[in-house]
Amino acid sequence: MNQRASGILLHLTSLSNPYPIGDLGPAATAFADFMVDSGQRWWQMLPIGPAGEDNSPYQSLSAFAGNPLLISPDRLVEQGILGRRDIERPISGCEEKVNYPAATRLKLCWLKRAFEHFKNNGQDGRQSELDAFTRAESFWLEDFSFFSAIQASEGTSDWTQWNQELRTRQPDAVIRAQRYFANDIRYHQFVQWQFSVQWKALRAYCTSKGIRLIGDVPLFVAHQSADVWAHPGIFKLNADGNPTVVAGVPPDYFSKTGQVWRVPVYCWEALQQQNYTWWIERLRTAFGRFDLTRLDHFIGFVRTFEVSPQAKTAVNGQYQPNGGASFFEAASKALGVLPLIADDLGATTPEVTALLNKLQIPGTRVLQFEFGSNLEANSAPPERHPVESVVYTGTHDNDTTAGWYRKLPSTQRIALQNHLGANNREIVWAMIREALAAPADMAIVPAQDLLELGSEARMNCPGIATGNWQWRLKDGALTPELAQRLRSITITAGRLRNGESRPDPRRQEDDATPQIAKRAYELYERRGRQNGQTVQDWLQAERELKMD
């Protein structure tokens, strides 16, 4: 984040392909190509772990594993692990929404077929690759593969309902079960290895195009996860393995009664006694996959809003302190520089702000919130964003910009039009221009906003459990004309050099470029808006001054 740039927020599941869900296949590389054409440098995704209850990527069955549904059958065919006939099915084009039941049925069938082929058809050379992967990822892979095998046998991921000896991980019972489930354990290791193979291929392709990846690490994990089963001591659980308290958020913008997330809360004292090993390994895995990682609900690293497991609302919850600076000091000592973005939205406290400043982690700004309920006809525009921040038009938890705008009171719509100098039809792209013109080092725009889609394309409605995480791109939606329009705005905002196809890693950046962009934006804010000039006008003027 040491240069001015921008990107797109699009989860892998939302890609358009012939299958019931987007994945790591050809559509992913095609999207990287679109990013190059549109002048974008950062691709931000939601969490990529196995989705849990209600298909939420934020309640995963593992804090480490990859989602098997993201594995591309096309890439399995390319590797020779499957034949093209193995994945043939009637295809009528991309489904309008992610079809999770169909995706689970088809993808798992193909993966099991691929595993049998891998075992029985002379893949000896690659068996050693799988063995090496298993050793390298042993910290989490052994427990996850074992957990997944038992889950399939028991018919539920709720490990508190399993056989007592396995639920409590009695040593003799574990040894017997590992022998009994040996083939199933190997299958789940194979699946995670294939996820890793395909992930690395996509990341290498993106890197070659000058595209960097932003991941997302949820603060909490699902109770019905391999992590809570394997490490019960670092969570607040009772003797039966059930949470004594669960996490949530107090009443806020999204819900008048708050949200009860029903995920277990960490016992930070126990984590500290273990030198935060589990969390450090979690970050190590994320840093190995992404160039930057967004820490979801950063406030929760300072304090957690705890609610009774029986509570129907979060009105009567209370805050409890968490790891804070102690955790990040241990993580920095173990991992070095922490390439993080903080989701610091919500009830930020002075302690949260102080920690962000100490760690020099950029925070998050969302234009919808900043323009929101305080925007009236004669009100001042939002405060200028810090340079060390990431600005969004909206996030996965917000309505689309078009949907949000349509729901504003008429006085606020008029005030927004006046501030942005745009009419109803232009408002979404005016917001995009506002985000990209901001002084923040990074600007991210959800793909739905680029397409000017309404509330029907919303990714998530916080506080509503069902019907989320289903939006998908339509075939052909990302057109060359759209790429050119976004590219033009990106150049005007000083986030891409005119004529540049992609950042060249062999070329040293001009050290003065970020300073020029920041100075140009200051002049634009002071004088350019009133005179109808663009950031690009001031960029050119500042460059000429530098040359003189």
Side-chain angles (χ1 to χ4, degrees):
M1 288 189 61
N2 60 355
Q3 61 177 320
R4 190 168 168 82
S6 55
I8 300 173
L9 170 60
L10 179 74
H11 196 35
L12 285 163
T13 59
S14 297
L15 290 167
S16 171
N17 66 16
Y19 307 110
I21 191 170
D23 58 32
L24 291 162
T29 52
F31 179 69
D33 292 338
F34 172 83
M35 292 194 67
V36 173
D37 293 341
S38 60
Q40 306 311 296
R41 296 178 180 173
W42 291 98
W43 179 357
Q44 181 168 343
M45 306 174 189
L46 304 186
I48 57 173
E53 188 176 1
D54 299 316
N55 304 309
S56 171
Y58 291 89
Q59 289 209 30
S60 178
L61 298 177
S62 171
F64 298 85
N67 189 343
L69 301 187
L70 296 178
I71 295 175
S72 164
D74 297 298
R75 301 305 189 210
L76 292 173
V77 171
E78 290 173 6
Q79 295 179 59
I81 296 176
L82 282 180
R84 178 58 61 182
R85 291 183 178 180
D86 290 323
I87 61 171
E88 284 183 353
R89 72 180 187 94
I91 294 176
S92 58
C94 175
E95 298 188 36
E96 292 186 0
K97 293 184 177 181
V98 176
N99 186 333
Y100 287 99
T104 301
R105 184 174 64 253
L106 285 170
K107 290 278 184 102
L108 296 189
C109 173
W110 294 335
L111 284 169
K112 288 175 181 176
R113 190 176 299 168
F115 176 61
E116 292 302 317
H117 187 278
F118 180 77
K119 282 196 311 177
N120 301 325
N121 289 275
Q123 297 273 346
D124 293 341
R126 304 207 70 192
Q127 294 286 347
S128 61
E129 290 183 40
L130 173 54
D131 291 336
F133 171 79
T134 301
R135 289 191 299 270
E137 306 297 333
S138 60
F139 177 82
W140 63 270
L141 186 57
E142 290 181 5
D143 287 324
F144 174 73
S145 300
F146 190 25
F147 174 89
S148 299
I150 301 171
Q151 171 193 341
S153 176
E154 294 284 340
T156 177
S157 59
D158 184 359
W159 53 272
T160 63
Q161 303 300 314
W162 293 354
N163 173 284
Q164 183 177 3
E165 289 184 328
L166 290 178
R167 183 176 74 235
T168 56
R169 296 174 61 89
Q170 296 300 311
D172 290 343
V174 166
I175 292 172
R176 290 195 303 271
Q178 286 175 333
R179 290 172 180 166
Y180 179 80
F181 290 118
N183 188 66
D184 297 320
I185 291 171
R186 185 69 168 177
Y187 161 72
H188 290 291
Q189 292 171 345
F190 165 82
V191 170
Q192 290 304 310
W193 169 61
Q194 266 303 303
F195 180 91
S196 176
V197 167
Q198 295 192 13
W199 181 268
K200 288 179 179 179
L202 175 61
R203 188 177 182 191
Y205 184 84
C206 289
T207 299
S208 74
K209 298 289 186 178
I211 304 299
R212 289 170 282 183
L213 304 180
I214 302 176
D216 195 331
V217 170
L219 174 59
F220 300 107
V221 294
H223 178 238
Q224 297 180 0
S225 68
D227 304 281
V228 182
W229 171 69
H231 305 278
I234 64 174
F235 299 92
K236 294 183 179 180
L237 308 176
N238 61 24
D240 294 326
N242 291 305
T244 56
V245 289
V246 294
V249 289
D252 63 3
Y253 169 89
F254 290 112
S255 174
K256 293 180 180 180
T257 58
Q259 299 175 51
V260 183
W261 290 337
R262 307 206 181 281
V263 291
V265 172
Y266 298 106
C267 180
W268 284 94
E269 294 84 358
L271 280 164
Q272 186 175 29
Q273 290 172 7
Q274 299 176 16
N275 199 30
Y276 304 105
T277 299
W278 181 85
W279 254 110
I280 289 171
E281 291 302 317
R282 189 180 185 192
L283 289 181
R284 192 192 308 277
T285 298
F287 294 168
R289 290 170 173 165
F290 295 96
D291 299 285
L292 275 176
T293 297
R294 172 185 178 270
L295 283 183
D296 182 55
H297 195 55
F298 182 84
I299 293 170
F301 286 95
V302 175
R303 60 178 188 170
T304 295
F305 194 73
E306 298 183 355
V307 183
S308 166
Q310 289 76 41
K312 294 183 178 179
T313 73
V315 171
N316 295 319
Q318 59 182 352
Y319 282 105
Q320 294 295 334
N322 285 348
S326 172
F327 160 63
F328 286 101
E329 288 168 5
S332 181
K333 184 176 180 180
L335 303 172
V337 175
L338 304 177
L340 297 171
I341 294 170
D343 165 32
D344 57 339
L345 303 172
T348 302
T349 65
E351 292 80 7
V352 172
T353 302
L355 182 59
L356 282 173
N357 292 336
K358 179 179 180 180
L359 298 171
Q360 296 185 315
I361 296 176
T364 298
R365 302 294 184 269
V366 178
L367 291 186
Q368 286 186 26
F369 292 149
E370 296 182 346
F371 281 121
S373 59
N374 293 325
L375 183 63
E376 298 295 344
N378 298 314
S379 67
E383 293 183 7
R384 297 179 70 242
H385 307 127
V387 171
E388 296 80 12
S389 64
V390 184
V391 60
Y392 299 79
T393 50
T395 73
H396 64 278
D397 281 333
N398 291 93
D399 200 345
T400 66
T401 294
W404 165 79
Y405 173 74
R406 289 166 190 157
K407 294 169 187 173
L408 288 176
S410 60
T411 56
Q412 292 181 31
R413 289 201 301 272
I414 294 170
L416 186 62
Q417 291 174 27
N418 291 337
H419 175 73
L420 297 177
N423 59 33
N424 275 320
R425 289 182 297 177
E426 299 169 344
I427 205 72
V428 175
W429 278 92
M431 285 281 280
I432 292 171
R433 284 194 295 271
E434 185 80 4
L436 267 66
D441 276 332
M442 186 185 297
I444 303 290
V445 179
Q448 294 97 313
D449 285 354
L450 296 178
L451 298 168
E452 302 179 73
L453 300 177
S455 300
E456 75 282 353
R458 184 170 183 165
M459 195 65 170
N460 180 45
C461 292
I464 299 176
T466 59
N468 297 313
W469 321 111
Q470 296 179 357
W471 176 75
R472 294 188 78 180
L473 285 165
K474 291 184 178 179
D475 285 332
L478 302 178
T479 63
E481 293 76 18
L482 179 63
Q484 185 55 48
R485 184 177 189 182
L486 179 57
R487 184 184 185 87
S488 176
I489 292 173
T490 305
I491 292 172
T492 300
R495 297 184 183 274
L496 186 74
R497 292 186 181 89
N498 196 1
E500 182 179 9
S501 60
R502 67 172 189 267
D504 186 344
R506 298 168 298 180
R507 184 183 64 214
Q508 293 294 322
E509 284 289 338
D510 179 355
D511 291 338
T513 298
Q515 286 73 23
I516 288 176
K518 293 166 190 173
R519 171 68 176 159
Y521 185 85
E522 290 172 358
L523 292 170
Y524 166 68
E525 280 286 290
R526 254 188 281 153
R527 288 177 280 176
R529 281 185 186 274
Q530 293 82 353
N531 299 327
Q533 293 165 304
T534 68
V535 175
Q536 185 68 14
D537 295 330
W538 292 106
L539 275 171
Q540 184 60 35
E542 286 294 292
R543 289 193 186 105
E544 291 172 358
L545 283 173
K546 176 177 178 288
M547 290 173 66
D548 292 340

